[in-house]
C-alpha cells in the first residue's frame, strides 16, 4: 500500500496531506510567536515609567520593509496561480520576484537597520542625578503635562573608548534632537522620518549613569525583545527564501514536468507559510516601530 | 468469513514479493528508516533506555537520602573518576551533583522517557495500524522527528561530562536561578550544564512538534475506508488529543527557552529583575525582566504536559481492558468526549503550579475553579474503565494485570491532587514530598504501568512472538509492591513537612519536626530507598524477557489476543505498507461478545450480516 492523498484531496476532508500538515505547523507557530508577544506585553506592562522607550526605530525603513513583504505575498500567489494555469515562465518570474523581495527584506534588516542600532548609544541616568541633566531631559515640563519622565539620554557616542576605558570619566554624546530642545513637542519621538543625532554635544558623567551601552540586546528589555523577535522572524524569512529557491531552481522544472499539480501544491504550502511570516511582521511593525 | 486466516495466507505471498522488490541496507532499514513501525521501535528502545537511566539517577539520589554524606561503595568512586570530583568526592555525593541528578531525573523521565515511549513509540507503531493506514502521512518528517529527539537526548547526556556537570536548576529551570547558574570562571559559555539543557530542549521540542503534526495529519487523512471518527479505537483518540497538546503547548515553552538562552548567552534580561544581587554583588544587567514570566510560559507547557503523559496511558489501558474483559468498553462516547474536554481544559489550569507566587485572589480563584472542573473528565474516564470491568469474564493476562493495577494507582494519584488544587492547602504542601508522591502515582505506577501493559500487549504484533507469561508476572507483582512501598510513605513525609529538594534527606530538619509534631518522616527514607533499589532489581526479568522473547518467545498467530481492532488483521510483524489489501472498517472498535455469534469477538473488518442489527457503536448499558 502506498500513502494516499499526497497530491489529490481526500474526498471527505477535501484536503491533501501537506495542506493539513502546514496548517497544523502554522498553529504551532502562532503559539511560538504568541509566547514571545506575550513576553513583550508582560515586560512592557511591568516596566517602570519612562523605562520603555518609544520611537527609537526607523519608521520609513520599517514601512518600506512592510511594503516589500506584502508585495512578496502577492507575487507568491501570482506564482501559484501561474502554475495552476500551467504557465511555467510566468511562475518563474513571479517566484523570482518573491525571492528577491525576501532577500531585500533581510538585507535591509541585517545590513542597515540592525547595524544602525548597534551604533546608537543610550545612557540611563541615575534617579538622583536626573536634576542635573534637566536641560536635556525636560522632566519638569513632562510632569506638568502628566507624561512619564525621561530617564535616558541617547545619541551618537563620540568617545567609543569610554565604554571600556575606566580612566575616561564621561561620555561625549552627540544628542538626538529631542534632548536639544526637550520641551518642544515637535522635536519629540516618534518622528515619521528618520532624524540623525545632532552636532550638539553633551558630556555625561559616568558617576551619574546607571547603565550605558550601545543599542544591543543587553541595553534594555525593549531591545532584548526587539532583537529576539525580529531575529526569529528573520530566520523564518530566510527559511521561506530557501524553500522558494529550492522550488525555483531546476528541481522545480523537473517536478513540473513530472507532475505540475504537485509543484503547485508545494508552492501553495510554502506560500501559506510565507503569508504567516508576513502576518507576524504585521504585528511586529506596529508593536516595535509605532507604539 | 474468517478474516484472520485469509490475511495470513496473503502475508506469505507478500513476503516473497517484498524480498524481490526492495532489499534495503542495514542503515536504511534500521537507522535511517522512514517506516513508522521501525521508527516506533527506535523510539521505544531509546525511550526505555532513557527511562532506565533516569531511574538510575534516582537510585543514586536515594543513597544520599538514606545515608546522607556516607560514601557510596564502589559505584561512588567510579562515578567520581568518570565525572570528576565535583560529582562524587571520594565516593560522597556533593550537593551540586545531587541537584544535577534531581534536575536530570525529571527532564530525562518526562521528555526523554515517557513522552517518547507512551506517545511517540506506541503512537508511531500502533496508530497507523489501528486506523488502517499504510504509514504516517509524512515518513521523512517522521524520521527527522526521531533524529531530533536522539540528538537532543545525546546533548542532555553530554551535559553530564562538561565542567560543572549537568543542569542543576530543577526540571522546571526556574529563573533567575537558572539564568545565573553554571556561569562564570570555570564554565564554558556554551558547554555548560544549563545552556546545553536549553539547546537539547529546543531539539526535543522540534521533535515532538514534527511528531505531533504527523500524528494529527495521519489520523485526519489516512483513516481506512469506513473508519469513521466514532469507529476509532479510544487509543487513537487519546493520541489525537495528546498530539494537539504537544502541538500547541510546547511552542510557548520554546519561546521561553529561546529567551533564557538569550539571557545566558547574549546577556539580555528577560527573566532578570532590576537590582538583582548575587552573592552580595549587584549583577551587571539591564534588569526590567520578570522571573514570573518564565513560570507562566513554563507551566503553560507544564500542565498540558501532564496530560501528554497520562492520555496515551489511558488509551493503552482502554485497549487492554476491552480486550481482556471480552465486552465493549463502557461509555465509548463519553470517553471520547472526556478526552477532548480534558485536552481543552488542560490549557487553562497552568497557574495552579504557581500558588506560592502570590498572583492575587482573582487569578487564584479562576485557576482553582478550572482545576476543579478538569477533575470531572478525568473521573469520567477512570469510572468508565472501572465499569467496563463489571460483569466481564476477565482474562488476567500480563497486560491486563498492568492495566488493572493502573486504575487504583492512577486513582490515588488523582485524588491526592485535589488538596493541591486549593491554594490554601497548597501553601502548606507545596514543594514537599507529598507533591512528589502525588504526581509519581500518576506517572510511575500510572503511565509506566500502562506502558508495560502496552509492551506486553503489542509485542506479538511487532515480533510475531509472545513475551513469557511467567516472567511477566514475576515482573508485575514486585513492581506493584515496590511502587507503593516507595510512594505511599512519601505522602506522610510530605504532610510532616519534608521539602522535596533537601539534599540531606531532611536530616537537619528532623529535630525540629520531632519537637513540633513529635514525629518525623526522616526514618522513612531508608525503607523507601530499599524499595527503590528492589524495584530496580524487579525490572531485570522484564529486560531479559523482552530481548529473549524477540528471538525465542512462543510463536503466535496474527491475532493472539482475539482482539477486534485493525492492527490484528495485519501480518505480524507487518510488512512495509502494513496491509496486504486496503482494509475496510464496517463496525465499531470493541465488538466483543456480540449475541448469536460463534466467536466472542467480531473484528472491525467483518461486514455486517443481513440478519444482524445495524452496525452499532459500543453499547452504553451496564447489562452487557
Amino acid at each position: 500500500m502506498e500513502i494516499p492523498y499526497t497530491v489529490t484531496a481526500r474526498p471527505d476532508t477535501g484536503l491533501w496531506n501537506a495542506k493539513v500538515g502546514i496548517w497544523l505547523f502554522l498553529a504551532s507557530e502562532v503559539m511560538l510567536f504568541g509566547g514571545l508577544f506575550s513576553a513583550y506585553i508582560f515586560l512592557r506592562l511591568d516596566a517602570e515609567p519612562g523605562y520603555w522607550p518609544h520611537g527609537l526605530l526607523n519608521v520609513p525603513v520599517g514601512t518600506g520593509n512592510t511594503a516589500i513583504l506584502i508585495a512578496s505575498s502577492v507575487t507568491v500567489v501570482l506564482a501559484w496561480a501561474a502554475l495552476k494555469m500551467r504557465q511555467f515562465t510566468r511562475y518563474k518570474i513571479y517566484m523570482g520576484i518573491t525571492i528577491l523581495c525576501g532577500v531585500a527584506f533581510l538585507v535591509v534588516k541585517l545590513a542597515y537597520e540592525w547595524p544602525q542600532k548597534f551604533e546608537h548609544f543610550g545612557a540611563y541616568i541615575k534617579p538622583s542625578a536626573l536634576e542635573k541633566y534637566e536641560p536635556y531631559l525636560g522632566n519638569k515640563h513632562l510632569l506638568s503635562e502628566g507624561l512619564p519622565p525621561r530617564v535616558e539620554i541617547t545619541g551618537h557616542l563620540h568617545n567609543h573608548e569610554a565604554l571600556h576605558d575606566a580612566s575616561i570619566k564621561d561620555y561625549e554624546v552627540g544628542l538626538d534632537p529631542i534632548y536639544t530642545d526637550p520641551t518642544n513637542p515637535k522635536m519629540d519621538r516618534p518622528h515619521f522620518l528618520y532624524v540623525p543625532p545632532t552636532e550638539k554635544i553633551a558630556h555625561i558623567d559616568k558617576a551619574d549613569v546607571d547603565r550605558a551601552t550601545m543599542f544591543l540586546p543587553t541595553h534594555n528589555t525593549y531591545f532584548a525583545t526587539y532583537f529576539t523577535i525580529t531575529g526569529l522572524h528573520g530566520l523564518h524569512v530566510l527559511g521561506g527564501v530557501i524553500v522558494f529557491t529550492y522550488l525555483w531552481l531546476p528541481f522545480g522544472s523537473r517536478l513540473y514536468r513530472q507532475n505540475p499539480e504537485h509543484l503547485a501544491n508545494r508552492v501553495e504550502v510554502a506560500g501559506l507559510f510565507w503569508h504567516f511570516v508576513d502576518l507576524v511582521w504585521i504585528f511586529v511593525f506596529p508593536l516595535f516601530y509605532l507604539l | 468469513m474468517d478474516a484472520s486466516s485469509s490475511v495470513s495466507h496473503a502475508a506469505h505471498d507478500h513476503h516473497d514479493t517484498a524480498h524481490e522488490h526492495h532489499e534495503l541496507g542495514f542503515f536504511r532499514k534500521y537507522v535511517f528508516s522512514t517506516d513508522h513501525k521501525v521508527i516506533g521501535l527506535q523510539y521505544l528502545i531509546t525511550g526505555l533506555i532513557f527511562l532506565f537511566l533516569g531511574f538510575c539517577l534516582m537510585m543514586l539520589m536515594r543513597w544520599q537520602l538514606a545515608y546522607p554524606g556516607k560514601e557510596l561503595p564502589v559505584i561512588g568512586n567510579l562515578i567520581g573518576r568518570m565525572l570528576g570530583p565535583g560529582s562524587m568526592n571520594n565516593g560522597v555525593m556533593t550537593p551540586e551533583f545531587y541537584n544535577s541528578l534531581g534536575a536530570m531525573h525529571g527532564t530525562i523521565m518526562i521528555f526523554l522517557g515517557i513522552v517518547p515511549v507512551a506517545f511517540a513509540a506506541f503512537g508511531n507503531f500502533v496508530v497507523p495500524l489501528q486506523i488502517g493506514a499504510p504509514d504516517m502521512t509524512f515518513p521523512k518528517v517522521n524520521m527527522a522527528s526521531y533524529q531530533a529527539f536522539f540528538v537532543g537526548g545525546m546533548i542532555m547526556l553530554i551535559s553530564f561530562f562538561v565542567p560543572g556537570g549537568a543542569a542543576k536548576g530543577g526540571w522546571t529551570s526556574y529563573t533567575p536561578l537558572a539564568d545565573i547558574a553554571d556561569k562564570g570562571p570555570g564554565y564554558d559559555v556554551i558547554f555548560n550544564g544549563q545552556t546545553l539543557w536549553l539547546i537539547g530542549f529546543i531539539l526535543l521540542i522540534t521533535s515532538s512538534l514534527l511528531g505531533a503534526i504527523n500524528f494529527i495529519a495521519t489520523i485526519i487523512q489516512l483513516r481506512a475506508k469506513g473508519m469513521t471518527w466514532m469507529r476509532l479505537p479510544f487509543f487513537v483518540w487519546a493520541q489525537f488529543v495528546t498530539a494537539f497538546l504537544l502541538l500547541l503547548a510546547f511552542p510557548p515553552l520554546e519561546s521561553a527557552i529561546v529567551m533564557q538562552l538569550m539571557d545566558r548567552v547574549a546577556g539580555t534580561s528577560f527573566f532578570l529583575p532590576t537590582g538583582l544581587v548575587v552573592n552580595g554583588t549587584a549583577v551587571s544587567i539591564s534588569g526590567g525582566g520578570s522571573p514570573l514570566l518564565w513560570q507562566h510560559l513554563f507551566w503553560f507547557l507544564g500542565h498540558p504536559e501532564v496530560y501528554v503523559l497520562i492520555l496515551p496511558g489511558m488509551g493503552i489501558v482502554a485497549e487492554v481492558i476491552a480486550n481482556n474483559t471480552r465486552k465493549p468498553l463502557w461509555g465509548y462516547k463519553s470517553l471520547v468526549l472526556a478526552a477532548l474536554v480534558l485536552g481543552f481544559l488542560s490549557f487553562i489550569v497552568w497557574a495552579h503550579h504557581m500558588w506560592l507566587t502570590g498572583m492575587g485572589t482573582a487569578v487564584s480563584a479562576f485557576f482553582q475553579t478550572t482545576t476543579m472542573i478538569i477533575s470531572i473528565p478525568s473521573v469520567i474516564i477512570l469510572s468508565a474503565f472501572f465499569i467496563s470491568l463489571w460483569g466481564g469474564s476477565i482474562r488476567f493476562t500480563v497486560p491486563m494485570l498492568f492495566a488493572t493495577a493502573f486504575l487504583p494507582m492512577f486513582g490515588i494519584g488523582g485524588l491526592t491532587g485535589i488538596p493541591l488544587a486549593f491554594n490554601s492547602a497548597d501553601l502548606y504542601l507545596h514543594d514537599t514530598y507529598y507533591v512528589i508522591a502525588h504526581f509519581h502515582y500518576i506517572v510511575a505506577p500510572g503511565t509506566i504501568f500502562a506502558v508495560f501493559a502496552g509492551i506486553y500487549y503489542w509485542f506479538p504484533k511487532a515480533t510475531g512472538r509472545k513475551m513469557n507469561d511467567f516472567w511477566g508476572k514475576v515482573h508485575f507483582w514486585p513492581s506493584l509492591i515496590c511502587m507503593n512501598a516507595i510512594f505511599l510513605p512519601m505522602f506522610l513525609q510530605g504532610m510532616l513537612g519534608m521539602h522535596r529538594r533537601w539534599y540531606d534527606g531532611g536530616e537537619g530538619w528532623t529535630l525540629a519536626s520531632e519537637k513540633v509534631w513529635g514525629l518525623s518522616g526522616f526514618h522513612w527514607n531508608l525503607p523507601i530507598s530499599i524499595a527503590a533499589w528492589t524495584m530496580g532489581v524487579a525490572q531485570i526479568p522484564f529486560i531479559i524477557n523482552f530481548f529473549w522473547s524477540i528471538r525465542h518467545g512462543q510463536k503466535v498467530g496474527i491475532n493472539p489476543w482475539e482482539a477486534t481492532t485493525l492492527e490484528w488483521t495485519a501480518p505480524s510483524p507487518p510488512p512495509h505498507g502494513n496491509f496486504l489489501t486496503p482494509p475496510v472498517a464496517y463496525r465499531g472498535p470493541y465488538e466483543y461478545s456480540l449475541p448469536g455469534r460463534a466467536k466472542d469477538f467480531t473484528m472491525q473488518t467483518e461486514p455486517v450480516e443481513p440478519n444482524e442489527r445495524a452496525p452499532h457503536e459500543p453499547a452504553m448499558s451496564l447489562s452487557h
Side-chain angles (χ1 to χ4, degrees):
Chain A
M1 278 172 74
E2 289 300 312
I3 299 168
Y5 314 123
T6 48
V7 183
T8 50
R10 181 182 162 115
D12 60 348
T13 62
L15 299 161
W16 25 274
N17 296 340
K19 208 160 176 177
V20 180
I22 195 71
W23 277 111
L24 292 169
F25 177 67
L26 293 185
S28 89
E29 291 276 87
V30 168
M31 298 303 283
L32 174 67
F33 280 98
L36 287 166
F37 284 128
S38 61
Y40 169 96
I41 295 167
F42 213 97
L43 295 175
R44 182 169 173 162
L45 291 179
D46 254 16
E48 298 285 332
Y51 279 85
W52 191 268
H54 297 273
L56 290 182
L57 301 179
N58 194 330
V59 179
V61 172
T63 313
N65 251 353
T66 310
I68 290 176
L69 269 195
I70 291 176
S72 73
S73 264
V74 175
T75 54
V76 80
V77 173
L78 291 173
W80 171 76
L83 268 186
K84 280 294 207 190
M85 294 182 286
R86 305 287 183 264
Q87 296 168 329
F88 193 64
T89 323
R90 282 182 63 165
Y91 158 73
K92 279 272 193 184
I93 293 168
Y94 282 126
M95 194 49 115
I97 297 174
T98 312
I99 295 167
L100 277 182
C101 286
V103 172
F105 177 90
L106 284 176
V107 168
V108 170
K109 195 95 233 162
L110 295 176
Y112 181 72
E113 278 200 272
W114 279 20
Q116 200 183 38
K117 292 302 138 225
F118 297 154
E119 284 161 16
H120 216 117
F121 173 81
Y124 281 101
I125 309 297
K126 282 183 178 157
S128 56
L130 283 174
E131 188 63 35
K132 186 173 158 190
Y133 296 91
E134 177 63 18
Y136 303 124
L137 298 170
N139 277 334
K140 291 205 175 82
H141 168 74
L142 290 173
L143 191 67
S144 68
E145 297 279 315
L147 294 168
R150 294 195 186 100
V151 292
E152 187 189 18
I153 295 178
T154 64
H156 178 73
L157 183 62
H158 283 289
N159 57 344
H160 247 278
E161 55 285 359
L163 286 172
H164 314 288
D165 191 343
S167 66
I168 302 173
K169 294 295 176 208
D170 61 0
Y171 298 108
E172 222 179 279
V173 181
L175 291 172
D176 275 336
I178 177 63
Y179 302 103
T180 60
D181 187 6
T183 55
N184 183 354
K186 280 190 182 152
M187 303 296 271
D188 204 355
R189 294 164 177 141
H191 306 281
F192 180 74
L193 292 175
Y194 174 67
V195 193
T198 61
E199 291 305 309
K200 188 177 172 191
I201 303 280
H203 289 271
I204 303 170
D205 196 336
K206 278 188 178 175
D208 297 333
V209 165
D210 253 342
R211 185 174 174 75
T213 62
M214 309 309 280
F215 285 176
L216 299 170
T218 49
H219 186 63
N220 53 28
T221 44
Y222 170 81
F223 277 114
T225 346
Y226 167 73
F227 282 112
T228 307
I229 292 185
T230 54
L232 198 66
H233 178 261
L235 279 178
H236 279 74
V237 174
L238 183 67
V241 167
I242 290 172
V243 171
F244 284 152
T245 311
Y246 179 70
L247 297 173
W248 187 68
L249 288 176
F251 170 81
S253 326
R254 203 163 63 237
L255 187 61
Y256 183 78
R257 281 194 300 275
Q258 286 165 2
N259 188 347
E261 194 61 20
H262 201 172
L263 181 62
N265 285 355
R266 288 196 170 176
V267 171
E268 186 176 349
V269 162
L272 281 169
F273 172 75
W274 194 249
H275 294 324
F276 171 80
V277 174
D278 200 357
L279 187 68
V280 170
W281 181 256
I282 299 297
F283 281 91
V284 170
F285 180 62
L287 284 182
F288 287 98
Y289 289 74
L290 304 180
L291 289 175
Chain B
M1 131 187 172
D2 186 0
S4 50
S5 71
S6 69
V7 168
S8 68
H9 253 293
H12 279 290
D13 300 345
H14 185 88
H15 264 297
D16 296 337
T17 51
H19 275 292
E20 285 163 28
H21 277 307
H22 37 74
E23 194 66 63
L24 296 172
F26 175 81
F27 277 93
R28 286 290 304 283
K29 199 167 171 188
Y30 295 110
V31 183
F32 296 101
S33 174
T34 54
D35 188 308
H36 74 100
K37 298 176 292 295
V38 179
I39 293 171
L41 295 176
Q42 286 175 332
Y43 263 119
L44 182 73
I45 304 281
T46 326
L48 285 177
I49 291 170
F50 273 119
L51 266 185
F52 190 70
L53 193 81
F55 184 52
C56 289
L57 301 186
M58 179 41 67
M59 288 197 280
L60 282 176
M61 292 170 81
R62 284 312 316 181
W63 172 269
Q64 170 64 20
L65 293 173
Y67 303 106
K70 296 231 173 68
E71 187 190 330
L72 172 60
V74 191
I75 306 170
N77 273 315
L78 206 70
I79 294 173
R81 223 170 294 151
M82 240 165 55
L83 304 178
S87 57
M88 302 284 270
N89 196 5
N90 293 324
V92 179
M93 191 178 290
T94 62
E96 291 78 16
F97 189 54
Y98 181 85
N99 284 343
S100 275
L101 291 177
M104 296 311 282
H105 167 76
T107 308
I108 288 178
M109 282 304 205
I110 295 172
F111 299 102
L112 292 161
I114 303 276
V115 174
V117 172
F119 174 70
F122 283 104
N124 258 308
F125 191 90
V126 178
V127 165
L129 286 169
Q130 280 197 331
I131 63 174
D135 204 317
M136 300 289 260
T137 37
F138 312 114
K140 281 180 198 153
V141 173
N142 208 9
M143 177 174 79
S145 161
Y146 173 74
Q147 285 167 353
F149 157 73
F150 186 79
V151 176
M154 286 304 122
I155 289 175
M156 293 284 187
L157 285 188
I158 287 168
S159 74
F160 275 102
F161 296 91
V162 299
K168 304 162 193 66
W171 79 281
T172 52
S173 274
Y174 272 8
T175 53
L177 182 64
D179 260 9
I180 57 173
D182 295 352
K183 253 184 184 171
Y187 290 102
D188 191 271
V189 183
I190 301 290
F191 288 94
N192 61 69
Q194 185 62 28
T195 307
L196 286 182
W197 187 89
L198 295 168
I199 295 170
F201 227 114
I202 290 182
L203 283 156
L204 295 181
I205 293 173
T206 309
S207 157
S208 54
L209 168 68
L210 298 177
I213 291 174
N214 228 332
F215 277 58
I216 300 170
T218 304
I219 295 171
I220 293 177
Q221 288 291 96
L222 299 190
R223 280 168 292 120
K225 195 167 169 238
M227 183 55 86
T228 56
W229 286 96
M230 292 318 266
R231 282 179 186 165
L232 291 176
F234 181 66
F235 177 74
V236 176
W237 272 110
Q239 294 284 2
F240 188 67
V241 176
T242 308
F244 265 105
L245 298 186
L246 284 173
L247 182 79
L248 300 178
F250 248 136
L253 177 68
E254 186 165 22
S255 70
I257 282 178
V258 167
M259 285 187 263
Q260 196 178 105
L261 205 58
M262 288 289 285
D263 275 4
R264 292 183 59 82
V265 178
T268 57
S269 302
F270 283 109
F271 305 123
L272 296 173
T274 308
L276 182 69
V277 173
V278 178
N279 294 334
T281 43
V283 191
S284 167
I285 46 155
S286 73
S290 164
L292 215 54
L293 174 62
W294 169 268
Q295 293 198 22
H296 277 296
L297 290 172
F298 182 87
W299 287 116
F300 189 84
L301 158 90
H303 202 82
E305 180 71 20
V306 173
Y307 295 93
V308 169
L309 300 177
I310 196 66
L311 271 170
M314 288 171 164
I316 295 170
V317 167
E319 298 303 301
V320 173
I321 284 184
N323 174 254
N324 286 285
T325 54
R326 315 304 295 166
K327 61 200 270 292
L329 205 54
W330 192 85
Y332 172 83
K333 276 182 193 159
S334 329
L335 278 171
V336 170
L337 215 62
L340 291 171
V341 171
L342 200 67
F344 172 75
L345 286 176
S346 72
F347 281 101
I348 48 170
V349 297
W350 79 88
H352 68 214
H353 295 269
M354 299 163 58
W355 294 142
L356 284 199
T357 59
M359 293 172 295
T361 46
V363 180
S364 291
F366 172 80
F367 283 105
Q368 285 183 60
T369 313
T370 52
T371 306
M372 284 294 106
I373 295 172
I374 203 172
S375 62
I376 296 170
S378 316
V379 169
I380 290 176
I381 292 176
L382 199 61
S383 306
F385 290 165
F386 270 117
I387 299 170
S388 294
L389 300 177
W390 189 277
S393 51
I394 301 175
R395 296 176 177 175
F396 277 110
T397 57
V398 178
M400 187 59 182
L401 286 176
F402 279 102
T404 323
F406 169 94
L407 303 178
M409 297 293 103
F410 175 73
I412 293 174
L415 291 175
T416 52
I418 291 175
L420 298 174
F422 290 107
N423 110 358
S424 47
D426 181 72
L427 291 182
Y428 176 71
L429 292 169
H430 198 93
D431 266 352
T432 65
Y433 268 78
Y434 182 92
V435 178
I436 301 263
H438 151 66
F439 69 74
H440 277 86
Y441 256 102
I442 290 179
V443 183
T447 305
I448 293 184
F449 272 17
V451 162
F452 282 135
I455 291 175
Y456 284 101
Y457 183 65
W458 280 300
F459 193 87
K461 188 42 62 189
T463 62
R465 293 166 192 273
K466 241 169 117 168
M467 283 174 80
N468 184 290
D469 266 350
F470 173 76
W471 290 108
K473 282 171 189 169
V474 172
H475 173 212
F476 170 72
W477 287 107
S479 293
L480 179 66
I481 293 166
C482 289
M483 282 285 189
N484 286 287
I486 294 168
F487 295 118
L488 263 184
M490 285 190 187
F491 285 122
L492 299 176
Q493 287 189 320
M495 285 189 277
L496 290 168
M498 205 167 129
H499 192 277
R500 65 190 282 193
R501 300 199 197 276
W502 276 336
Y503 135 88
D504 60 359
E507 199 178 28
W509 148 90
T510 188
L511 289 171
S513 76
E514 269 164 2
K515 273 219 176 81
V516 178
W517 292 291
L519 284 167
S520 120
F522 183 64
H523 57 269
W524 284 106
N525 277 337
L526 181 60
I528 292 176
S529 292
I530 291 172
W533 300 325
T534 316
M535 196 167 79
V537 175
Q539 304 315 304
I540 293 172
F542 168 74
I543 297 168
I544 295 175
N545 193 355
F546 184 87
F547 287 105
W548 185 83
S549 301
I550 293 176
R551 292 201 176 279
H552 307 288
Q554 180 203 341
K555 271 197 174 174
V556 288
I558 64 166
N559 190 4
W561 307 110
E562 303 183 311
T564 51
T565 41
L566 285 190
E567 76 267 35
W568 303 105
T569 63
S572 304
H576 191 67
N578 292 345
F579 297 93
L580 311 169
T581 49
V584 182
Y586 293 99
R587 48 182 81 235
Y590 305 115
E591 307 252 318
Y592 288 101
S593 305
L594 278 193
R597 290 208 160 225
K599 296 175 296 161
D600 70 345
F601 66 105
T602 312
M603 301 197 77
Q604 283 190 280
T605 47
E606 292 180 42
V608 180
E609 286 162 24
N611 57 349
E612 198 181 335
R613 56 195 166 98
H616 62 291
E617 308 306 341
M620 295 189 55
S621 71
L622 263 176
S623 59
H624 216 294

